[in-house]
Amino acid sequence: MLRTLFLSSLVCGVTPIALAERSPIDFEVEAETVLVITPLSDDTETREAETFLGEASLNGTAETVLENGVRLRGRFALRLQKDHPQRPGGSGGFGTNVNAVPGAFSSLSDGPVPNGEGDDLRARLETAYFQIDGGYGELRLGKDSGVAARFHEGAPDVLSHARGDTALLDPTGLSTVRTRHDLTGPSAKVSYATPRLLGVRAGISFTPQADADGLDRRPAAGGALSAPETENAVELALNATRTLRESGLRFDAAVAWSTTDISPRFGVAPYDSIETVSAGLKLERDAWSGGISVLSSDNGISGGDYSAWNAGIMREGDMFDVSLSYGEAENDNAALEGQSWRLGVGKDFDTGLQLAVAYVDDSVEISGVDVSGSGIVVEMTLSTEIFSLTGY
């Protein structure tokens, strides 16, 4: 009873939601297909580049606005993905230490790659939430990213999936830079975000059990002898935007902090509570944009800190867009250092097709051993509306 009264007052302010007259409901379903091709590459035998990677997704939204102005929305996203077989869900082992303990945030270690985990197509329901959006803010409940990831700001890139920072598809298998503050992945959670006041918006997310086996984030993934159990995760984030009228310069900034309880799901790994902080800034003026983002996490392991930063710039042109980005990462418990940079050109077509061609270069140094991969990547994204209708 108290919960019902709270939600009603949150979105309406005065009275519970009234459904005296039905409001129209808008339904939309879209499909998106992404193909990443690496026709030319220079790699090593221990970490070979993948020639073909891809993803297909089905995204649906149902939305209605009540007479009192409250917006109700339901959304789902079903994704099918083929990523690098040695980087399932962004996790990665770069050595032979079977006793290695993966970082609870970075999911990186000096252990071996789990056999067979990333060899096949992986299908996941990545998003399934219900949202109430009213004058007092936005409330979401279900499978979704937390506010720390949703409020992220950083460098622009013509690549959407094979990008250097928090890659969704990793052609070289060596992308280790992750500044997008996604602690819990698509685990079920509740999130609240305030309205934007004077350009500033605040948010909080709570995830009781971060156990999702997502396509891009696997908070419960572990090594051969240990795996983290993540419970009671709390995320706090701020996002601010401002445009200077005289110069036309726009600022978008974000800061986030998260903490959660970590314990070994099995084995005797020294997991403890984890604390992560991040910040990002993006600047835009006319056809130019640039940004930088940083993240630091204690990784849930004493002496096992993970840190990363990424910066980039992009110019939008009449014929095509050009972007350049560079980032670095360091994972102390695995004695790992990584670098990633991208130089690419891209173009958005009116047909829903996005095409980008880029030179990518990723490298990892672990315990004094260098592993690198580079090549030309072609990324094609096609978005198609399947249907859009209004019902009652």
Side-chain angles (χ1 to χ4, degrees):
M1 183 64 180
L2 290 175
R3 181 182 301 177
T4 302
L5 292 174
F6 169 74
L7 292 177
S8 300
S9 63
L10 171 69
V11 297
C12 302
V14 179
T15 60
I17 296 174
L19 297 175
E21 297 184 8
R22 287 189 175 183
S23 301
I25 304 176
D26 297 322
F27 298 92
E28 292 184 358
V29 176
E30 297 179 339
E32 183 179 83
T33 304
V34 181
L35 182 61
V36 174
I37 306 172
T38 310
L40 299 173
S41 63
D42 181 14
D43 48 33
T44 65
E45 294 182 359
T46 58
R47 189 74 52 149
E48 297 181 358
E50 288 290 298
T51 304
F52 295 99
L53 300 177
E55 177 178 308
S57 63
L58 191 66
N59 310 294
T61 303
E63 182 177 298
T64 186
V65 179
L66 305 182
E67 289 186 345
N68 54 15
V70 175
R71 184 184 303 273
L72 305 180
R73 175 184 295 168
R75 186 173 185 273
F76 78 88
L78 178 65
R79 295 167 58 196
L80 176 69
Q81 186 185 86
K82 176 65 172 70
D83 201 355
H84 196 289
Q86 293 177 292
R87 298 302 305 279
S91 60
F94 296 90
T96 58
N97 180 14
V98 295
N99 297 314
V101 177
F105 176 83
S106 68
S107 297
L108 303 177
S109 76
D110 58 348
V113 178
N115 291 329
E117 282 202 25
D119 291 343
D120 301 321
L121 288 170
R122 303 174 70 228
R124 297 290 187 274
L125 181 64
E126 290 280 294
T127 302
Y129 66 78
F130 176 70
Q131 175 180 319
I132 305 174
D133 195 357
Y136 286 90
E138 171 196 284
L139 184 70
R140 290 188 186 184
L141 178 64
K143 290 174 65 67
D144 187 29
S145 299
V147 293
R150 286 165 47 198
F151 285 15
H152 173 82
E153 301 289 351
D157 201 319
V158 296
L159 297 171
S160 63
H161 284 60
R163 62 199 186 209
D165 182 8
T166 320
L168 305 182
L169 293 173
D170 183 3
T172 66
L174 295 168
S175 178
T176 58
V177 177
R178 180 184 292 271
T179 70
R180 190 175 295 269
H181 193 152
D182 188 4
L183 176 66
T184 59
S187 303
K189 57 178 61 67
V190 57
S191 298
Y192 168 73
T194 68
R196 195 175 289 277
L197 302 174
L198 300 177
V200 180
R201 191 182 196 193
I204 181 172
S205 294
F206 175 71
T207 307
Q209 186 83 29
D211 55 0
D213 182 24
L215 297 181
D216 310 313
R217 178 81 176 105
R218 306 172 69 206
L225 300 178
S226 62
E229 182 170 2
T230 306
E231 298 178 311
N232 302 322
V234 177
E235 304 173 43
L236 302 175
L238 286 173
N239 182 279
T241 182
R242 183 174 178 82
T243 301
L244 304 181
R245 295 182 179 179
E246 294 184 358
S247 64
L249 182 64
R250 172 172 171 165
F251 298 81
D252 291 286
V255 293
W257 170 85
S258 67
T259 185
T260 185
D261 297 328
I262 300 281
S263 59
R265 222 164 14 99
F266 58 85
V268 291
Y271 288 120
D272 200 348
S273 61
I274 181 174
E275 205 169 309
T276 305
V277 294
S278 64
L281 174 67
K282 183 179 180 181
L283 306 176
E284 295 182 71
R285 181 181 179 184
D286 299 328
W288 290 91
S289 61
I292 185 170
S293 52
V294 296
L295 180 142
S296 178
S297 174
D298 60 23
N299 241 344
I301 306 170
S302 178
D305 294 359
Y306 171 83
S307 60
W309 66 270
N310 185 73
I313 189 170
M314 183 167 77
R315 188 185 190 283
E316 298 180 11
D318 295 332
M319 294 296 295
F320 50 80
D321 305 332
V322 181
S323 69
L324 172 66
S325 67
Y326 176 78
E328 295 184 357
E330 186 173 352
N331 202 109
D332 289 348
N333 73 300
L336 180 151
E337 295 182 2
Q339 297 84 34
S340 294
W341 68 274
R342 304 285 189 271
L343 174 62
V345 296
K347 184 175 179 61
D348 294 350
F349 296 88
D350 295 335
T351 58
L353 174 66
Q354 295 175 298
L355 178 64
V357 180
Y359 178 76
V360 307
D361 188 288
D362 298 317
S363 63
V364 170
E365 179 183 330
I366 183 163
S367 300
V369 178
D370 291 321
V371 183
S372 63
S374 60
I376 301 297
V377 165
V378 180
E379 182 180 279
M380 294 177 286
T381 303
L382 180 62
S383 301
T384 307
E385 182 180 88
I386 297 178
F387 69 80
S388 177
L389 56 87
T390 299
Y392 290 87

